[in-house]
Structures are given as structure tokens and as C-alpha cells.
């Protein structure tokens, strides 16, 4: 079975220690997490993990099964890239003098649909959202001018198909009473 | 609801009593002292067994749980007390044994400061617990304890660890207790899909050569009667995994023996010949399947299982019925046609005869002046226990002989460390099993290696006077490793020779009746004496030094490559 990029989405209760349990599932199988993002989800008090891995479908099924088995996990899903809308965000911190001395930088910002987040006397910050390749392209273009700091977020993604978590939670509540 | 202000430590005890736990195993220490102080107060309601090592506490709680079907409870202090539990917890996790383990922790203000006897037991135990939680405030105790018991016993059972900081044990709370029956994100019992049951029934009804493999799921869901009814109605030969043993009486005509590495010849060979393989509450462990590439490829696999993560994990199923086994079999039974697969069943008998000739006869009655065999010792225990004892085995050759040759009339009678293979398990587990089932005879069968891994629990037996029977099969070797060295490492016996102490003197040192048998002629009478004893009894049997367990499927080989010698 060939390796593919999978985006695993985990809806869970917001509990201390769950991240440790989930990361352990990958550790045990020697699977490297390419990107990890945890945030609130669309449902109050429900967290959402977005985990990106490069592995086979067999392994990802197995992993999702093990993740769902954790007590605090409500539901886990996995998708290939075609089934999701996804992006990452990156910040570039650059010396302020370059903004005025190097006209090319302003062109790069404009052409790549990046944004200037802040400008101070010493530095300015560019934010770029998009696919990994688009961010890398901007990175390559800015590199020759000198980047003081660079950081990229984990992938965030929403699926094209509905994930039905709200319905599931509703059903659970109905079953409860 | 009425509440009263009590300390966190008292709340812990009251929670245990609310859950019906009146027998706990443990070892005191600094960070758990408030709980022990309350134990002193509640000693007429809650019996605490002082073990000699926390690993013993975990295994004793496991033995109790396996023999009774209830949740086992153990208590330890922080730091080394907590880490000493870990082996038992890992064993319970892989064998789906319900445990609640309570550990003390340094005060909340000291957490993360590398304080005296502080360890991150939550971090350490995370990969080997079904759930764990650190309580830092007294008011959390009732809710978390209730969750702990619910999680440990429901669905696929497992161990839960609750770590309680010392301040939470001292602080006061308004106590009221409500049992946990529901957790939003946790669905222990999948809802039975009737369509899948119909699909499975249709395949079973059409099968020409069906075969059942049953595992511990039968025991955990108490579906023994349904299993027997299915086997008899459909006339299907049924084989067991090591943890499924005793769920169907050993002498049942359709009980065809054990599958796996040291299982019986017939069920292993015929796994690769059956047309329908019905897996009931078992998880296709690698010790059962051998090489997955060649495992039951010709068969339609019907997998009845409670844990969704086990479906298609190792073996792809034609139909998966995801449910509690008892519910699933109850729904399946009326859909099954009455049949007898006589010719197919005879295949198992033919294979058994081959195994009898090649292995079993010689094992049970050795010829050519050989020493006492492990198999004949087990046979002797069967004779004097009338196949009615709870057999607790450790890990190694003696374990395989015990599981292969023990006879069982009743369920929950085979207590052994399956998935983790933990040496040192049997002595403390036997203590727990006997305390949980004082009405039954409990015999621990242990090798000379494993016995020395938790030998200190003889002290617990001495103090509690629990009347367990201990049989050490002494071959002065780490026998299973030695067997592998002989077969796969050119007879290079690296570090497997054991120079042993005088075991009987040690047992007698703990005031336990002891006897050593070196000759075959003494065995019958010695086992009779042991079984007749009202007290704990230690029997050392010197067995043939270089005996091997056969049949055997070498690691990575196919089940049908099973070797008889």
C-alpha cells in the first residue's frame, strides 16, 4: 500500500492529558506527525485536533480506531487532500528598512496575496495563508532579503463532506435522557 | 441530595464501598498515608491486604478480577510505589482486566518540583491504562472515582489509574455519591446491527467446514451458555485462545483445543482448511495467527467483537458484528439452523489422534526413564482437583503445559498472563483469585524462574493465611527461553541456567507447609496431600530438565507449519 498524506480530525472533550494519549498512538507506530493543530471547534466545549501524517490507508484506519477508543474522544475522521479544504499560515519578520529600500518586497507581498500585519520602526511582519507550496514560494522569494524570523502554523482544514458531529452529539444526548 | 463534610481520604474509602469494593491490595507510604489512616478507621468494612511489593498488589487485584468478574482495586503511594504497579497495569491493559489503581501523589504545590517521591505517574501510565486522571482538589474525588469504576468495568474492560495529591486527601469536601452510567464521549457497548447478525447467520448456515475460535470476550460478557448453545445447535467445532480457556468445558465433545503457538495440532492445521472462521471475542493476536499472509486465507471470517479498533486490525473480516458478545450470540442463536458437521468434526479427531501419538501420550506418561514431566504433574492436579480448581499459571513452559493439559468444568477458572507474558504474575494473582473465590480451590503453577520474580508474596500468604496451593515446576532452567535456544540458537544456553535456592526451606521460613517431589512414585500422594490441605501448601516438583513444549509454531511461520517435534 502506498503512502499518502492524510488529515486526521479528532473531536474531543477538552481534557488535560489527551494530547499525550493521542501522540502516544503515533509514537508507538513510529509515525511522524507532520503537523498538529488543536483548537476549539464549532461546538461549545468540544476541541478539534487536526493531525497531518504521511502513511498508508491501512495504518491511518488503525490509528483512527485507536484514537476513537480514547475515553474523551467523541469521533475521529480521516481524509485525503482532495476531500478537504486546508491551509496553513505563516509569519515572516523582516527588517523595516527593507520595506522602503527594496521595492521588490512590496511586489512580492502584492503578487502573493500576503498581508502586512504590523510595521514598527525596527521590523515589519508579513502574514501569508495558503497551501504549503504557496507559503514556500513566498519564503523562497523573501529569503534573499534576509528574514529575521519565520514561523508556520499547523494545517487547519475543513472537510468537503459534513462531519455530522453536532448530530452525533445530539443523538448521544437524546439517548442519555 | 444530603451531603456531609469529610476528608478527601475518607471520600476515597466511601467511594470504594459505594462501588462494592470491600477488598483492596496495597502498600502504604508517605503520599497515601491519609487514605491509610482512614483504612484503619474502616477496617471492619474494607479489608486491606498488605502485599510485599506493589507489583504483587496489582497482580493480586488482577487475579481477584479474573476469578470474580468484578473490578480489582489496588493502592500504592507516590513515586516508586506507583511505578511498581506499572507492570501489573500493563498486563491488565493487554488482557482487558478491570482494575482501579489508586496512587498517592505529592501535594499540589509541589507538583513538578521533583519533590521527594514525585513521579509523573499519569505520564508513565498513559500508554498502559484505559484511562487515568490526577485529582488535585478534594471535591473531584466522588465524580472521578465513579467514572473510574464505570470505565474500568464497561465495554472492553481495562485498568484505570487515579492519582490523588496529598492535599486533596486532607482537604474537606461535601460528600455525595452518584454512580457513573454515562460519559458523553464514551460508548462502551456498540448498538447491535441486526442486519450484520443476519448476514453472519446466513454464512454460518451455508458453511461446510465452519470453525469457532472463542476468546476472553465470552468470559467478560458472561456468554458461556450462549456459546455452548451455538456450538451444539450448529454442530461447530470450537477452539479456544489462551484467555478463552474454561469458557466451554474442556471435555465437551465439540471443544477441539487451543489455537496458537503451542496450541493443538487440529485447530491450528484446520484453521487453514475451514471455509468459515467464526471469531468470538478474540483479537487475532500474533501468537494465535502466526504469519498473517497465510492465515485462514481460504475462509470467510466472521468477527464478533466489542472493540471497534480490533475489527480488520490483523485479519480482514467478511462480516463484523460489533457488539457485546452476549447480545450478539443471543440474537444469532434463533437464526442458526440445527446441523452436525460430523465428517468435518472427525477431521479434528483425526488430527488429535496424530497429536496424541506424537506428543500427548509421551508427555502424560513419559517412557525411557525420563524424569517427571510437567504435563503429568498437571494431569495429577486434574485428578485430585476433579477438574474443578481455578488454575493460575505464570509465564513460560509450565504455563503452556498448564493451559494445554488442565481440565475445566467451570468458567473463570483459567487465570494467566496472556498478552504481556508477565513472569511473576501467578503467585500474587493466585492470592487475589482465592480471596475473591474462597469457595473454590486455587492452584498456582509456577516455574522456578517466575516464582523468584515475586517470591516475596509468600509473606502475604503467611500474614493472611490465604489457603492457596502453590506448585513450582522446577527444571533449573528458564525453560521456554532454553527451548528457543535449543531450537533456534544452536543450543547456546546463554543465561538460562538457574542455580536455585532451597525453595521448601524458603516456604517453611514463611511458615507455609512445604514438600519436594523428585520421584514419579511420590507425585500422586504429594498432590493428594496438597489438595487435601486446608491451609496454604507449597509443592516443589523437580521435573525433566530439557523437556520441550510441542506442538509449536515457530515465530513468523504459518499455523499449518505447526511442528510436532
Amino acid at each position: 500500500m502506498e503512502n499518502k498524506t492524510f488529515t486526521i480530525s479528532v473531536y474531543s472533550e477538552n481534557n488535560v492529558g489527551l494530547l499525550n494519549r493521542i501522540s502516544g498512538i503515533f509514537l508507538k507506530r513510529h509515525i511522524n506527525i507532520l503537523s498538529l493543530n488543536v483548537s476549539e471547534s464549532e461546538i461549545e466545549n468540544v476541541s478539534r485536533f487536526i493531525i497531518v501524517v504521511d502513511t498508508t490507508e491501512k495504518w491511518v484506519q488503525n490509528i483512527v480506531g485507536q484514537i476513537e477508543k480514547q475515553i474523551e474522544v467523541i469521533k475521529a475522521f480521516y481524509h485525503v487532500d482532495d476531500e478537504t479544504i486546508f491551509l496553513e499560515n505563516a509569519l515572516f519578520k523582516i527588517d523595516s528598512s527593507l520595506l522602503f529600500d527594496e521595492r521588490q518586497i512590496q511586489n512580492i507581498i502584492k503578487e502573493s496575496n500576503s498581508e502586512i500585519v504590523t510595521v514598527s520602526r525596527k521590523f515589519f511582519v508579513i502574514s501569508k495563508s495558503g497551501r504549503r507550496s504557496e507559503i514556500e514560494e513566498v519564503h523562497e522569494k523573501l529569503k534573499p532579503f534576509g528574514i529575521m524570523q519565520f514561523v508556520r502554523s499547523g494545517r487547519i482544514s475543513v472537510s468537503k463532506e459534513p462531519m455530522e458531529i453536532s448530530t452525533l452529539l445530539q443523538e448521544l444526548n437524546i439517548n442519555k435522557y | 441530595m444530603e451531603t456531609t463534610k469529610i476528608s478527601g481520604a475518607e471520600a476515597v474509602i466511601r467511594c470504594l464501598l459505594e462501588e462494592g469494593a470491600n477488598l483492596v491490595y496495597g502498600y502504604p507510604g508517605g503520599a497515601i498515608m491519609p487514605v491509610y489512616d482512614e483504612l484503619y478507621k474502616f477496617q471492619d468494612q474494607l479489608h486491606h491486604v498488605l502485599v510485599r511489593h506493589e507489583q504483587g498488589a496489582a497482580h493480586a487485584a488482577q487475579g481477584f478480577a479474573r476469578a470474580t468478574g468484578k473490578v480489582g482495586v489496588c493502592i500504592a503511594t507516590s513515586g516508586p510505589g506507583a511505578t511498581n504497579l506499572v507492570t501489573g497495569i500493563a498486563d491488565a491493559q493487554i488482557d482487558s482486566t478491570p482494575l482501579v489503581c489508586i496512587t498517592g501523589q505529592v501535594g499540589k504545590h509541589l507538583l513538578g518540583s521533583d519533590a521527594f517521591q514525585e513521579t509523573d505517574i499519569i505520564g508513565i501510565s498513559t500508554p498502559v491504562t484505559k484511562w487515568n486522571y490526577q485529582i488535585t482538589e478534594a471535591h473531584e474525588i466522588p465524580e472521578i472515582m465513579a467514572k473510574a469504576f464505570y470505565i474500568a468495568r464497561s465495554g472492553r474492560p481495562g485498568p484505570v489509574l487515579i492519582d490523588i495529591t496529598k492535599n486533596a486527601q486532607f482537604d474537606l469536601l461535601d460528600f455525595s455519591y452518584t454512580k457513573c452510567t454515562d460519559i458523553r464521549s464514551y460508548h462502551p457497548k456498540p448498538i447491535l446491527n441486526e442486519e450484520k447478525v443476519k448476514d453472519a447467520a446466513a454464512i454460518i448456515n451455508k458453511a461446510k467446514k465452519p470453525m469457532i475460535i472463542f476468546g476472553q470476550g465470552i468470559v467478560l460478557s458472561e456468554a458461556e451458555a450462549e456459546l455452548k448453545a451455538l456450538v451444539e445447535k450448529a454442530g461447530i467445532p470450537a477452539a479456544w485462545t489462551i484467555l478463552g480457556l474454561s469458557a466451554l468445558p474442556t471435555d465437551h465433545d465439540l471443544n477441539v483445543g487451543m489455537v496458537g503457538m503451542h496450541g493443538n495440532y487440529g485447530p491450528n492445521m484446520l484453521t487453514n482448511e475451514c471455509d468459515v472462521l467464526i471469531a468470538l471475542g478474540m483479537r487475532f493476536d500474533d501468537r494465535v495467527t502466526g504469519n498473517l499472509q497465510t492465515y485462514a486465507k481460504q475462509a470467510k471470517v466472521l468477527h464478533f467483537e466489542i472493540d471497534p479498533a480490533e475489527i480488520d486490525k490483523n485479519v480482514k473480516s467478511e462480516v463484523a458484528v460489533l457488539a457485546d458478545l452476549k447480545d450478539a450470540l443471543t440474537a444469532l442463536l434463533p437464526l442458526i439452523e440445527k446441523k452436525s458437521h460430523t465428517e468435518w468434526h472427525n477431521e479434528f479427531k483425526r488430527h488429535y489422534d496424530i497429536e496424541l501419538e506424537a506428543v500427548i501420550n509421551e508427555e502424560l506418561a513419559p517412557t525411557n526413564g525420563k524424569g517427571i514431566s510437567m504435563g503429568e504433574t498437571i494431569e495429577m492436579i486434574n485428578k485430585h482437583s476433579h477438574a474443578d480448581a481455578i488454575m493460575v499459571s505464570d509465564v513460560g513452559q509450565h504455563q503452556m503445559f498448564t493451559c494445554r493439559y488442565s481440565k475445566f468444568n467451570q468458567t473463570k477458572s483459567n487465570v494467566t498472563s496472556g498478552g504481556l507474558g508477565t513472569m511473576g504474575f501467578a503467585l500474587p494473582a493466585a492470592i487475589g483469585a482465592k480471596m475473591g473465590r474462597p469457595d473454590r480451590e486455587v492452584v498456582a503453577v509456577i516455574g522456578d524462574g517466575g516464582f523468584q520474580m515475586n517470591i516475596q508474596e509468600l509473606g502475604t500468604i503467611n500474614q493472611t493465611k490465604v489457603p492457596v496451593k502453590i506448585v513450582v515446576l522446577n527444571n533449573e532452567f528458564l525453560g521456554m527461553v532454553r527451548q528457543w535456544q535449543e531450537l533456534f540458537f544452536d543450543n547456546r544456553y546463554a543465561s538460562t541456567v538457574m542455580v536455585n535456592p532451597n525453595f521448601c526451606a524458603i516456604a517453611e521460613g514463611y511458615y507455609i507447609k512445604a514438600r519436594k517431589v523428585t520421584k514419579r512414585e511420590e507425585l500422586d500422594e504429594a498432590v493428594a496431600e496438597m489438595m487435601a490441605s486446608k491451609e496454604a501448601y507449597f509443592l516443589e516438583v523437580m521435573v525433566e530438565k530439557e523437556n520441550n513444549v510441542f506442538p509449536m509454531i515457530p515465530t513468523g511461520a504459518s499455523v499449518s507449519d505447526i511442528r510436532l517435534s
Side-chain angles (χ1 to χ4, degrees):
Chain A
M1 224 184 253
E2 56 168 334
N3 273 27
K4 272 191 256 179
T5 304
F6 291 98
T7 305
I8 298 172
S9 305
V10 184
Y11 285 87
S12 75
E13 305 289 353
N14 183 9
N15 276 23
V16 175
L18 184 58
L19 175 61
N20 210 357
R21 281 192 176 267
I22 290 178
S23 66
I25 291 167
F26 292 90
L27 170 69
K28 209 174 156 185
R29 293 164 178 76
H30 269 250
I31 291 174
N32 203 6
I33 292 175
L34 300 178
S35 141
L36 169 71
N37 184 83
V38 192
S39 71
E40 272 180 27
S41 72
E42 65 275 18
I43 305 150
E44 208 179 331
N45 297 325
V46 171
S47 298
R48 181 163 171 191
F49 291 66
I50 305 282
I51 305 163
V52 183
V53 288
D54 195 18
T55 186
T56 62
E57 180 134 17
K58 168 103 182 98
W59 270 120
V60 83
Q61 276 173 1
N62 178 298
I63 287 166
V64 166
Q66 296 295 332
I67 290 176
E68 278 201 336
K69 210 165 134 166
Q70 304 308 317
I71 304 293
E72 291 95 350
V73 170
I74 298 164
K75 188 85 186 141
F77 303 87
Y78 71 90
H79 293 99
V80 293
D81 286 356
D82 287 350
E83 298 166 333
T84 62
I85 314 294
F86 61 92
L87 54 80
E88 292 171 349
N89 191 33
L91 297 176
F92 302 86
K93 179 176 158 184
I94 296 169
D95 192 321
S96 283
S97 62
L98 295 171
L99 187 57
F100 306 103
D101 300 347
E102 299 280 356
R103 297 283 309 197
Q104 184 57 18
I105 289 190
Q106 294 195 26
N107 289 337
I108 295 170
I109 295 169
K110 216 154 84 189
E111 282 161 18
S112 65
N113 279 326
S114 302
E115 274 176 41
I116 296 179
V117 184
T118 187
V119 183
S120 74
R121 197 174 295 183
K122 289 194 173 149
F123 62 84
F124 71 104
V125 176
I126 300 170
S127 155
K128 166 67 192 160
S129 289
R131 294 207 164 196
R132 173 73 64 97
S133 57
E134 298 170 80
I135 291 169
E136 272 167 7
E137 204 184 317
V138 179
H139 193 187
E140 283 309 307
K141 285 185 179 158
L142 290 173
K143 230 188 219 166
F145 303 103
I147 298 168
M148 294 162 78
Q149 280 182 35
F150 167 71
V151 65
R152 191 173 54 219
S153 75
R155 173 185 287 196
I156 54 171
S157 107
V158 288
S159 62
K160 291 180 184 169
E161 292 294 312
M163 290 213 219
E164 314 286 1
I165 279 296
S166 302
T167 341
L168 180 72
L169 284 174
Q170 230 168 18
E171 276 169 20
L172 295 176
N173 279 327
I174 292 164
N175 285 347
K176 191 175 162 184
Y177 299 110
Chain B
M1 196 177 289
E2 237 180 89
T3 60
T4 37
K5 263 210 180 331
I6 58 170
S7 72
E10 184 177 339
V12 171
I13 309 291
R14 288 192 184 275
C15 293
L16 291 173
L17 293 171
E18 290 276 355
E19 291 292 343
N22 44 21
L23 181 61
V24 299
Y25 301 89
Y27 206 99
I32 194 74
M33 278 185 62
V35 168
Y36 272 83
D37 191 54
E38 291 297 333
L39 275 168
Y40 188 78
K41 199 164 88 191
F42 281 87
Q43 53 191 299
D44 56 333
Q45 293 173 63
L46 183 60
H47 181 54
H48 176 269
V49 177
L50 175 67
V51 292
R52 294 301 185 267
H53 185 293
E54 290 86 350
Q55 188 185 347
H59 292 324
Q62 287 181 275
F64 173 88
R66 293 272 288 275
T68 62
K70 297 179 193 162
V71 178
V73 181
C74 55
I75 302 179
T77 191
S78 64
T83 56
N84 280 346
L85 290 178
V86 171
T87 302
I89 296 173
D91 191 287
Q93 168 84 344
I94 201 159
D95 282 353
S96 311
T97 307
L99 287 192
V100 169
C101 309
I102 297 163
T103 52
Q105 182 57 277
V106 300
K108 188 181 177 184
H109 68 290
L110 288 170
L111 283 174
S113 71
D114 295 335
F116 176 66
Q117 292 196 330
E118 183 195 0
T119 58
D120 172 17
I121 193 62
I122 293 298
I124 291 170
S125 66
T126 291
V128 292
T129 46
K130 186 173 174 188
W131 189 64
N132 59 8
Y133 191 89
Q134 184 172 62
I135 293 175
T136 55
E137 308 281 346
H139 69 83
E140 298 176 284
I141 289 171
E143 190 194 332
I144 296 300
M145 289 288 286
K147 269 179 94 170
F149 275 89
Y150 174 60
I151 292 169
R153 72 159 79 89
S154 59
R156 180 175 180 175
V160 169
L161 183 138
I162 302 300
D163 193 37
I164 311 175
T165 58
K166 204 166 177 181
N167 62 292
Q169 298 171 46
F170 276 126
D171 290 347
L172 299 180
L173 70 148
D174 287 318
F175 184 79
S176 72
Y177 197 80
T178 317
K179 277 200 180 184
C180 177
T181 54
D182 179 81
I183 296 170
R184 180 170 78 165
S185 55
Y186 172 59
H187 323 292
K189 240 185 178 187
I191 297 159
L192 182 70
N193 180 337
E194 305 277 352
E195 288 307 310
K196 297 273 185 192
V197 178
K198 280 184 197 154
D199 294 348
I203 293 173
I204 293 171
N205 288 336
K206 268 192 235 133
K208 298 275 175 267
K209 297 175 174 183
M211 170 178 168
I212 286 173
I213 301 180
F214 60 94
Q216 196 191 198
I218 297 288
V219 182
L220 293 172
S221 69
E222 303 195 317
E224 292 90 346
E226 290 77 7
L227 169 70
K228 190 160 171 274
L230 172 68
V231 165
E232 288 171 358
K233 188 173 181 189
I236 303 177
W240 35 274
T241 71
I242 195 166
L243 293 189
L245 175 53
S246 88
L248 185 68
T250 355
D251 62 1
H252 192 286
D253 186 43
L254 283 155
N255 185 336
V256 291
M258 176 161 78
V259 290
M261 182 172 271
H262 293 289
N264 292 100
Y265 188 55
N268 275 314
M269 289 297 287
L270 298 173
T271 295
N272 279 357
E273 263 188 49
C274 64
D275 61 349
V276 175
L277 181 63
I278 308 155
L280 304 178
M282 57 82 80
R283 61 188 182 88
F284 294 108
D285 179 83
D286 55 272
R287 281 295 200 263
V288 162
T289 64
N291 186 352
L292 281 171
Q293 305 305 318
T294 58
Y295 183 78
K297 284 295 171 203
Q298 79 298 341
K300 286 184 175 166
V301 175
L302 312 180
H303 198 176
F304 291 70
E305 168 63 46
I306 197 166
D307 180 356
E310 292 297 342
I311 303 293
D312 297 341
K313 186 178 88 175
N314 297 330
V315 172
K316 185 105 183 79
S317 53
E318 180 85 11
V319 176
V321 180
L322 196 55
D324 176 84
L325 253 290
K326 198 180 178 82
D327 297 346
L329 294 186
T330 306
L332 180 72
L333 266 166
L335 308 177
I336 294 296
E337 291 163 12
K338 190 154 176 51
K339 285 218 167 112
S340 57
H341 297 278
T342 317
E343 185 42 40
W344 169 237
H345 187 202
N346 284 339
E347 277 296 300
F348 285 86
K349 290 180 178 160
R350 271 194 285 279
H351 279 84
Y352 184 76
D353 289 341
I354 296 170
E355 184 177 344
L356 194 68
E357 182 73 23
V359 178
I360 299 172
N361 283 338
E362 180 65 22
E363 181 58 38
L364 298 184
T367 50
N368 298 331
K370 280 190 207 134
I372 303 172
S373 77
M374 297 198 197
E376 69 183 309
T377 313
I378 302 303
E379 186 80 333
M380 200 60 83
I381 297 170
N382 288 334
K383 176 181 159 189
H384 292 286
S385 70
H386 311 290
D388 217 21
I390 293 178
M391 299 294 285
V392 185
S393 49
D394 211 73
V395 168
Q397 285 184 316
H398 74 275
Q399 175 189 31
M400 292 301 124
F401 284 113
T402 306
C403 291
R404 283 177 54 82
Y405 296 107
S406 288
K407 294 208 160 45
F408 296 104
N409 299 321
Q410 293 188 53
T411 186
K412 294 196 181 85
S413 297
N414 178 49
V415 179
T416 194
S417 167
L420 199 67
T422 306
M423 288 174 71
F425 172 86
L427 186 60
I431 295 172
K434 182 67 190 176
M435 287 178 170
R437 293 299 306 268
D439 56 316
R440 298 198 55 195
E441 203 61 75
V442 173
V443 182
V445 182
I446 317 178
D448 46 320
F451 186 52
Q452 291 175 83
M453 279 209 183
N454 272 318
I455 197 168
Q456 75 287 344
E457 297 310 328
L458 291 174
T460 307
I461 295 169
N462 176 34
Q463 184 159 350
T464 59
K465 303 290 171 225
V466 59
V468 285
K469 311 292 159 64
I470 308 151
V471 179
V472 165
L473 300 180
N474 185 355
N475 58 3
E476 300 178 300
F477 266 119
L478 295 176
M480 191 59 99
V481 183
R482 189 212 55 77
Q483 174 169 342
W484 283 49
Q485 287 170 333
E486 179 189 326
L487 299 175
F488 312 117
F489 292 87
D490 271 345
N491 292 315
R492 291 151 63 89
Y493 293 168
S495 295
T496 43
V497 175
M498 291 289 251
V499 176
N500 286 324
N502 181 340
F503 287 129
C504 286
I506 290 173
E508 280 165 352
Y510 282 103
Y511 305 102
I512 296 168
K513 249 195 235 172
R515 178 166 174 181
K516 180 173 179 170
V517 167
T518 52
K519 291 194 193 79
R520 179 164 291 120
E521 306 81 72
E522 304 161 40
L523 188 62
D524 196 341
E525 195 246 317
V527 173
E529 182 181 294
M530 172 179 82
M531 295 310 293
S533 169
K534 298 280 174 238
E535 300 164 26
Y537 190 104
F538 175 81
L539 178 66
E540 178 184 9
V541 182
M542 298 306 292
V543 293
E544 181 67 28
K545 282 173 76 94
E546 298 182 37
N547 194 14
N548 288 337
V549 198
F550 283 109
M552 178 179 194
I553 303 165
T555 317
S558 167
V559 285
S560 42
D561 289 334
I562 185 165
R563 295 170 54 166
L564 287 165
S565 60

